[in-house]
Amino acid sequence: MFRKTACFAIAGLTVLGTISQTAAGGRAVECYEPVRTPDVYDTVYEDVLVSPPGQQVDYVPAIYGTRERVVMTVPAQVTYEVVPAVTRTVYHTVQVDDGGYSWEWRVIHGRKVLCKVWHKARYGRVAETVVIQPERTRRVVTPAQYDSIAEEVLVQPEQRRIMNVPASYRTVARRVLVREGSSGWRRVHIPRHCQD
């Protein structure tokens, strides 16, 4: 009697949890238990776009340097100046008086008489300015003046390079539902000694 009660208790727990009032004390013919099939998931790897394709401009600025250059600061000039004459003083002996005869009144023995008198020629020194080199105009050339200056020059012009940048992708893992779980009933095998 105790053995039969234990079998009924096990069957009652494994089958539907409770036995209907109409079947109480009856013989179990078939037994079922509720079952739940869980959802089935899988991991899917896919590439996702991180950044779209585009273009990148690489800019290299211009390079400048310093160069020394000789430039004319004052141009050549031509002027004219007057060179005065070069003179010298020369002395000459010249005849001042030709001499010869002249009539003069004289007093001789208390008497005033007119006499014919002979005179020698007279000479004297005179100064004369002699031009050795006449006045002239001289051409004067003033040479040009040059200075060294530093100037900025372009060594390399600016450059722009356009580069195509491909799209960037990243692989991400995602869980996806492969099959949904289901609910149902599963037949339970009851030992033969429990059926009595």
Side-chain angles (χ1 to χ4, degrees):
M1 179 69 180
F2 176 75
R3 178 178 165 194
K4 200 178 266 193
T5 304
C7 288
F8 281 129
I10 295 173
L13 289 175
T14 56
V15 182
L16 300 176
T18 59
I19 300 175
S20 66
Q21 293 294 327
T22 57
R27 180 172 173 251
V29 180
E30 289 183 4
C31 297
Y32 296 88
E33 64 177 343
V35 291
R36 169 71 183 167
T37 305
D39 295 337
V40 178
Y41 290 90
D42 193 6
T43 301
V44 177
Y45 296 93
E46 59 183 1
D47 292 333
V48 294
L49 181 65
V50 175
S51 60
Q55 288 183 332
Q56 179 180 349
V57 179
D58 187 13
Y59 173 73
V60 179
I63 299 175
Y64 292 89
T66 303
R67 179 182 65 184
E68 286 197 354
R69 186 165 61 95
V70 177
V71 295
M72 180 190 297
T73 53
V74 179
Q77 296 179 348
V78 177
T79 57
Y80 294 90
E81 63 180 14
V82 176
V83 180
V86 178
T87 61
R88 187 177 63 182
T89 302
V90 179
Y91 294 92
H92 298 282
T93 301
V94 295
Q95 187 176 355
V96 179
D97 190 349
D98 292 338
Y101 295 96
S102 68
W103 292 92
E104 297 179 359
W105 287 99
R106 292 187 179 182
V107 176
I108 299 175
H109 303 294
R111 289 187 297 174
K112 185 180 180 180
V113 292
L114 183 64
C115 301
K116 185 177 182 180
V117 180
W118 166 255
H119 299 283
K120 293 189 296 182
R122 286 186 301 133
Y123 296 89
R125 292 193 61 178
V126 294
E128 181 184 6
T129 300
V130 179
V131 176
I132 298 175
Q133 186 174 336
E135 178 182 279
R136 62 191 175 89
T137 301
R138 183 173 64 183
R139 182 173 180 265
V140 179
V141 178
T142 304
Q145 296 180 11
Y146 296 88
D147 283 327
S148 178
I149 62 170
E151 62 180 2
E152 190 178 56
V153 292
L154 179 66
V155 177
Q156 177 179 308
E158 67 175 30
Q159 296 178 351
R160 292 186 181 182
R161 292 192 296 264
I162 299 177
M163 296 179 293
N164 292 322
V165 179
S168 175
Y169 293 90
R170 184 180 56 169
T171 302
V172 295
R174 184 167 59 90
R175 288 196 69 195
V176 295
L177 180 64
V178 177
R179 186 177 62 249
E180 288 187 1
S182 61
S183 299
W185 296 93
R186 181 175 61 189
R187 187 172 182 178
V188 178
H189 174 73
I190 300 187
R192 189 168 188 81
H193 62 272
C194 290
Q195 292 180 6
D196 295 337

